[in-house]
Amino acid sequence: MTNNFTPAKSGSTKKRMSKEEYAEMKKAEKDKVYQMIDEASLDIVSSGENFRSYLDTQSTMDRYSAVNALLINKQFPTATQLKDFDDWTKDNVKINKGAKSIQILEPVEYTKRDGTTAVSYNVKKVFDVSQTNGRQTPAPSVKRDPRSLITTMLDASPVQVEGTNELPYPNMAAFYDNEKQTIFVKRNVGDSVAVAQCVAQELGHAQLSINSKSYSRRDMGFSAVCIGCMLCKKYGVDTQNFAIDRIPEEIKNKEPKEIRAELSKTRNAMNDIHSRISEELYKQKQSRSKDYER
């Protein structure tokens, strides 16, 4: 067994790293990424434009954690498909010359001395499809009929849904009542885009209430707006009406770790809703296929 960690090249006189030097290099690499995460956390709460950019990235890269979405947004906000060098190579795709890797964190399980399992994180270097000669597939967000999307979202609701003629706030098209565990949708609202936006936001309220031990509409208001914005972005509904620029002072004043905790709650709630909507869309597709076969 050898302690050399730098591959030997023909004719190379470069000194190979010892095991200790390699470990120190990897630690420095990880420390730099963690510093980048802290910087990204503070950057996004500094302006509505920055926060909206992060939400767009998280919506596109919904399978990635909030921490990795921060890293992706900081380094390559337009990313759509990420793989490391080996995975691109397996697909016979070449990385463009001079392309700079995007650093994210990859969880790795290990066994501690007492026999219990824990999770550590390694730095993983990936490349976006746009940095390769691979074919870039269209973004998954397509322009859906807002009326059809509203029906699908309501069918995927984790709580009861009822129609109503009046809501507590006249300018709203939908409202989540936590006491009744019900989303009330106003009848005869003509603007289907506005209804889709409002339903997405109120689904956010409903999901946050389920995921939390206690619920406060005021405290969860901005998170619900973020969820609604991400859902609409993912399904091709206009997002300009979402007040992302109104970042609450209590969030702006949080430490980076606390900001990430809030982002993770929002991301997880959005993902729960998105999963159910995806299931509904799949059921609809299967039903249409069966009707076509008949």
Side-chain angles (χ1 to χ4, degrees), residues 178 181 206-216 220 265:
N178 189 54
Q181 293 280 288
Q207 190 64 54
L208 288 167
S209 73
I210 292 172
N211 291 1
S212 306
K213 294 181 180 178
S214 60
Y215 172 80
S216 164
M220 296 183 180
K265 290 178 185 177

Side-chain angles (χ1 to χ4, degrees), residues 15-283:
K15 183 181 177 182
R16 297 180 177 182
M17 284 186 288
S18 67
K19 183 177 181 180
E20 291 74 19
E21 289 172 329
Y22 181 81
E24 186 61 32
M25 182 194 74
K26 300 305 286 186
K27 180 182 182 302
E29 184 180 64
K30 190 183 296 187
D31 288 345
K32 188 176 180 180
V33 169
Y34 277 115
Q35 182 181 349
M36 192 193 306
I37 294 169
D38 281 348
E39 291 172 355
S41 301
L42 296 175
D43 283 348
I44 68 163
V45 298
S46 66
S47 75
E49 182 181 357
N50 290 353
F51 207 104
R52 186 180 289 273
S53 176
Y54 157 75
L55 292 178
D56 288 349
T57 299
Q58 182 70 90
S59 175
T60 301
M61 315 299 283
D62 59 281
R63 298 169 72 177
Y64 288 81
S65 68
V67 168
N68 278 333
L70 281 168
L71 286 171
I72 295 166
N73 181 254
K74 180 81 171 176
Q75 300 168 86
F76 207 100
T78 58
T80 58
Q81 184 183 7
L82 301 175
K83 293 182 183 181
D84 63 17
F85 181 88
D86 289 340
D87 283 341
W88 282 124
T89 301
K90 289 176 184 176
D91 293 337
N92 294 319
V93 173
K94 294 183 178 180
I95 309 296
N96 295 338
K97 186 177 181 179
K100 185 179 180 181
S101 65
I102 303 160
Q103 299 181 79
I104 60 175
L105 291 177
E106 181 178 46
V108 179
E109 284 192 358
Y110 69 97
T111 303
K112 297 194 291 186
R113 291 182 179 180
D114 62 4
T116 60
T117 301
V119 177
S120 180
Y121 292 89
N122 291 335
V123 175
K124 182 176 183 178
K125 297 179 180 180
V126 295
F127 297 86
D128 184 57
V129 63
S130 63
Q131 298 175 288
T132 74
N133 67 348
R135 182 179 179 183
Q136 297 185 47
T137 56
S141 297
V142 295
K143 291 289 182 183
R144 295 187 181 278
D145 176 8
R147 291 168 295 182
S148 174
L149 179 61
I150 292 165
T151 301
T152 302
M153 287 194 294
L154 293 175
D155 286 342
S157 171
V159 297
Q160 186 175 344
V161 176
E162 290 186 17
T164 184
N165 294 320
E166 293 185 7
L167 291 174
Y169 303 95
N171 61 332
M172 293 180 68
F175 177 79
Y176 170 65
D177 188 322
N178 189 54
E179 290 185 3
K180 297 181 179 179
Q181 293 280 288
T182 300
I183 294 177
F184 291 95
V185 183
K186 196 171 185 178
R187 299 186 181 96
N188 302 318
V189 178
D191 189 344
S192 57
V193 172
V195 177
Q197 293 169 341
C198 205
V199 167
Q201 180 174 314
E202 296 308 300
L203 278 174
H205 272 287
Q207 190 64 54
L208 288 167
S209 73
I210 292 172
N211 291 1
S212 306
K213 294 181 180 178
S214 60
Y215 172 80
S216 164
R217 185 174 181 87
R218 178 189 174 281
D219 292 345
M220 296 183 180
F222 185 68
S223 293
V225 169
C226 293
I227 292 169
C229 183
M230 286 189 285
L231 287 172
C232 285
K233 177 73 176 179
K234 179 163 287 296
Y235 292 109
V237 176
D238 182 72
T239 62
Q240 292 305 307
N241 289 339
F242 289 100
I244 303 303
D245 58 318
R246 300 175 188 172
I247 305 171
E249 288 299 321
E250 52 264 36
I251 294 180
K252 289 183 178 181
N253 295 329
K254 287 182 180 294
E255 294 296 318
K257 185 176 181 180
E258 296 173 316
I259 294 172
R260 293 195 292 275
E262 292 298 319
L263 297 179
S264 292
K265 290 178 185 177
T266 304
R267 179 263 177 196
N268 293 341
M270 187 275 287
N271 228 32
D272 289 340
I273 299 168
H274 169 53
S275 294
R276 289 195 301 272
I277 293 175
S278 296
E279 289 177 8
E280 286 296 325
L281 290 171
Y282 178 76
K283 290 177 185 177

